[in-house]
Amino acid sequence: DTGVSQDPRHKITKRGQNVTFRCDPISEHNRLYWYRQTLGQGPEFLTYFQNEAQLEKSRLLSDRFSAERPKGSFSTLEIQRTEQGDSAMYLCASSLMALNTEAFFGQGTRLTVV
Amino acid sequence: SQELEQSPQSLIVQEGKNLTINCTSSKTLYGLYWYKQKYGEGLIFLMMLQKGGEEKSHEKITAKLDEKKQQSSLHITASQPSHAGIYLCGARMDSSYKLIFGSGTRLLVRP
């Protein structure tokens, strides 16, 4: 296993279009997280899963955003009716299910909305 | 995040010099994590600190968490160009498993 994998690495879309990103976590990791990072800032938490259950969502996650992890393995993040303000790096991370354990991040998907 | 302040925002040092990056929280920390990020790439895990007074080292990088668990420092000894990048501190501030991140410190090491 080579780590957390995200696809695509880059996505350019027109405003109003829907986009979907995929994240494949490290295989034995139960927890999966999505973050968003804009230029010059640290990552902002969006949501996280423990197995297939979505346990926490940030208020940053508007109704246009939805995330799934149907079988407790890979996850998808969909943004509907994209806006220019959605342009950012979307980062996925995964970790073991322990109280204090490090999360490992993927390379991210850079979204540009034009 | 205003809950987690990093300083300085950017740092330029000459190769071989030592440097320190600070991360200060407005709340007691449940866990403190240091990551490094190259521009346009993902985050690379460096170290995790949990207990007040804890100190960890890896190669030339040392991280400490103060006794009150509200401040951490990252110290690089004899810096090298390979240390250049963005250093991010992330913290668990409650029983949730999400991390709150600082805005990062951009480090440039001149050869």
Side-chain angles (χ1 to χ4, degrees), chain B residues 1-13 19-25 32 34 70-76 85-90 101-107:
Chain B
S1 166
Q2 292 180 340
E3 294 176 287
L4 210 57
E5 297 279 347
Q6 279 190 244
S7 63
Q9 289 186 330
S10 62
L11 196 53
I12 302 174
V13 300
L19 63 105
T20 299
I21 298 168
N22 293 301
C23 178
T24 302
S25 171
L32 190 288
W34 283 100
Q70 287 195 264
Q71 187 171 35
S72 178
S73 61
L74 186 83
H75 184 78
I76 299 178
I86 302 168
Y87 289 82
L88 290 154
C89 65
F101 283 92
S103 296
T105 295
R106 286 143 192 82
L107 172 64

Side-chain angles (χ1 to χ4, degrees), chain B residues 59-76:
Chain B
E59 297 181 343
K60 294 184 179 181
I61 301 176
T62 300
K64 301 178 186 179
L65 183 62
D66 78 353
E67 290 289 343
K68 294 183 180 179
K69 295 176 65 176
Q70 287 195 264
Q71 187 171 35
S72 178
S73 61
L74 186 83
H75 184 78
I76 299 178

Side-chain angles (χ1 to χ4, degrees), chain A residues 35 37 40 48 56 100 103, chain B residues 33 35 37 92 96 98-99:
Chain A
Y35 289 83
Q37 186 178 27
Y48 94 90
E56 189 171 349
N100 257 322
Chain B
Y33 303 75
Y35 288 86
Q37 184 178 32
R92 288 185 57 230
S96 164
K98 68 177 182 285
L99 294 182

Side-chain angles (χ1 to χ4, degrees), chain A residues 11-19 64 79-83 86 113:
Chain A
K11 178 72 177 179
I12 300 173
T13 191
K14 291 184 179 179
R15 189 173 51 187
Q17 297 294 306
N18 299 344
V19 294
R64 297 184 297 106
I79 308 174
Q80 295 181 328
R81 304 182 302 283
T82 52
E83 301 172 356
D86 296 331
V113 182

Side-chain angles (χ1 to χ4, degrees), chain A residues 9 31 33 35 37 39-43 45 48 56 89 91 98-107 110, chain B residues 1 30-31 33 35 37 39-45 48 50 88 92 96-104 106:
Chain A
R9 290 291 309 276
R31 293 202 185 113
Y33 312 79
Y35 289 83
Q37 186 178 27
L39 198 61
Q41 299 299 314
F45 170 77
Y48 94 90
E56 189 171 349
M89 173 78 91
L91 293 161
L99 182 58
N100 257 322
T101 182
E102 62 270 31
F104 294 91
F105 282 77
Q107 291 296 296
R110 180 166 294 283
Chain B
S1 166
Y30 282 56
Y33 303 75
Y35 288 86
Q37 184 178 32
Y39 179 73
E41 298 183 6
L43 281 63
I44 299 169
F45 172 75
M48 175 179 71
Q50 301 177 54
L88 290 154
R92 288 185 57 230
S96 164
Y97 295 102
K98 68 177 182 285
L99 294 182
I100 306 297
F101 283 92
S103 296
R106 286 143 192 82

